Amino acid sequence: MAGTQSRRGFMKASALTVSAGSLLAAAPCHGAPEEKSAGEPLHLGLVTYNLAKSWDIDTIIKNCTETKFEAVELRTTHAHKVEVDLTAAQRREVRKKFEDSPVVLASLGSAFEFDSPDPDVLKKNIDGTKEYILLAQDVAAAGVKVRPNNLHVGEGIPEEKTLEQIGKSFREVSEFAGNHGVEIRVEVHGTETSRVPRIRKMLNYADSGNCFICWNSNQSDLLDGGLEDNFNLLRDKIHFVHMRDLFLEEYPFRKLFTLLRGNGYRGYCCAEIPESTDPIRVMHYYRALFLAYQDVL
């Protein structure tokens, strides 16, 4: 247990303190698919959307412990009910359950987005994110996931204006989060907004040292020059990773793992996969393939 607690503290501290410049200097990215992955093996976690959406906290911890999943991102609206209406005592209880287990509460997965041209809707999403940041602080989650989702060019709003609005919103919530010891992690998300060059523009508008990326393993990662070019656009900011089913041949997961390890990535790679009638078996197989892709079995 002491070793687990120590690594949990290291993971959280490193996520908050490692600068982009030092990360790039210390870990150049090679990324050639024929090269063997560099660095220590990646760390596996679980997104509760959707495999674990009907599990309570005790079940999440039990199942992740049994299958050696090291961390979890709790998605809002799901059965575990880690939401902003929890009392102070309930928040302490959630925190203690994870601290007393080998499973790290790595992230809270919100669905807040900042593209709406309606200022009232935008304010509601920003205020909601701030409430979720306070929840993350109380339950000792290192980060809160937010996302872009839409452009509004069809409504006569220039693309660049929406990207700027999203980025400046990221800045506001990131600065608030930094004051509470929590990271903001921007999921690479949305039919149009998941294009990585657009995500990079949003980060440039945010101009925040506490605004990071949740790599989302989208097919759009293969556009605009391909996986390696897109990875390099965001490599200084990647602090969390979502993964789909690893057997999907349409996405080069093995190459992604090579890029992450070559870049010195020390965060979690979390499975975001469908529900199953046999979840423990699925999780065992998922972990086996996750390790095999890194040649560490």
Side-chain angles (χ1 to χ4, degrees):
M1 182 63 69
T4 299
Q5 297 293 343
S6 175
R7 198 173 73 77
R8 177 187 285 112
F10 168 76
M11 296 291 291
K12 183 171 181 179
S14 64
L16 290 170
T17 59
V18 175
S19 71
S22 63
L23 182 61
L24 285 170
C29 182
H30 303 291
E34 68 274 7
E35 292 179 352
K36 187 170 182 176
S37 300
E40 69 175 67
L42 300 170
H43 298 284
L44 180 61
L46 178 69
V47 181
T48 58
Y49 181 87
N50 275 314
L51 182 70
K53 71 179 184 181
S54 62
W55 300 352
D56 60 19
I57 294 297
D58 293 334
T59 303
I60 290 170
I61 290 173
K62 174 182 176 295
N63 290 349
C64 287
T65 301
E66 180 177 346
T67 56
K68 299 182 181 179
F69 277 58
E70 302 173 62
V72 67
E73 177 181 277
L74 300 180
R75 180 66 148 78
T76 187
T77 75
H78 288 349
H80 20 282
K81 297 179 180 178
V82 179
E83 307 288 353
V84 296
D85 60 356
L86 290 183
T87 66
Q90 289 170 324
R91 294 177 186 215
R92 287 193 297 271
E93 182 181 6
V94 170
R95 178 173 183 152
K96 188 173 189 307
K97 284 184 176 184
F98 280 102
E99 289 180 341
D100 290 346
S101 84
V103 181
V104 175
L105 177 50
S107 178
L108 298 182
S110 84
F112 294 114
E113 52 198 43
F114 311 105
D115 59 82
S116 176
D118 183 331
D120 291 334
V121 172
L122 176 61
K123 184 177 186 303
K124 183 177 180 180
N125 277 272
I126 290 174
D127 291 346
T129 304
K130 291 178 179 179
E131 287 187 274
Y132 223 62
I133 289 164
L134 297 177
L135 174 63
Q137 179 184 32
D138 290 343
V139 299
V144 169
K145 185 211 77 179
V146 296
R147 66 190 193 190
N149 201 34
N150 292 297
L151 297 175
H152 299 271
V153 177
E155 302 165 54
I157 300 172
E159 174 182 315
E160 201 67 23
K161 181 176 181 180
T162 299
L163 298 180
E164 181 179 7
Q165 175 182 301
I166 294 170
K168 289 182 176 179
S169 300
F170 289 159
R171 180 193 303 168
E172 180 174 346
V173 297
S174 296
E175 290 176 352
F176 182 87
N179 291 332
H180 294 278
V182 176
E183 290 184 351
I184 287 296
R185 296 165 180 165
V186 175
E187 184 178 32
V188 182
H189 184 273
T191 302
E192 299 168 309
T193 53
S194 66
R195 298 286 285 267
V196 171
R198 288 172 175 153
I199 293 287
R200 183 71 247 184
K201 284 186 177 182
M202 296 175 208
L203 291 182
N204 292 343
Y205 280 122
D207 191 25
S208 170
N210 193 43
C211 185
F212 299 100
I213 284 296
C214 171
W215 187 270
N216 203 32
S217 304
N218 304 308
Q219 285 308 112
S220 55
D221 301 342
L222 311 184
L223 304 175
D224 304 305
L227 179 66
E228 191 165 350
D229 283 355
N230 282 318
F231 185 91
N232 286 335
L233 279 178
L234 300 179
R235 60 182 294 203
D236 59 314
K237 285 288 191 174
I238 299 172
H239 273 212
F240 211 68
V241 175
H242 287 175
M243 304 176 300
R244 297 175 289 151
D245 282 308
L246 295 180
F247 63 76
L248 294 171
E249 296 181 6
E250 65 192 34
Y251 194 88
F253 282 106
R254 188 187 292 271
K255 183 174 183 180
L256 174 64
F257 294 166
T258 298
L259 292 169
L260 288 166
R261 292 176 71 187
N263 199 43
Y265 180 67
R266 297 293 180 264
Y268 294 102
C269 298
C270 291
E272 186 175 5
I273 54 179
E275 284 186 286
S276 170
T277 58
D278 195 358
I280 299 300
R281 186 176 177 85
V282 168
M283 291 171 75
H284 277 305
Y285 273 113
Y286 198 100
R287 180 174 180 272
L289 190 54
F290 178 75
L291 294 175
Y293 274 12
Q294 301 174 71
D295 299 321
V296 295
L297 272 180

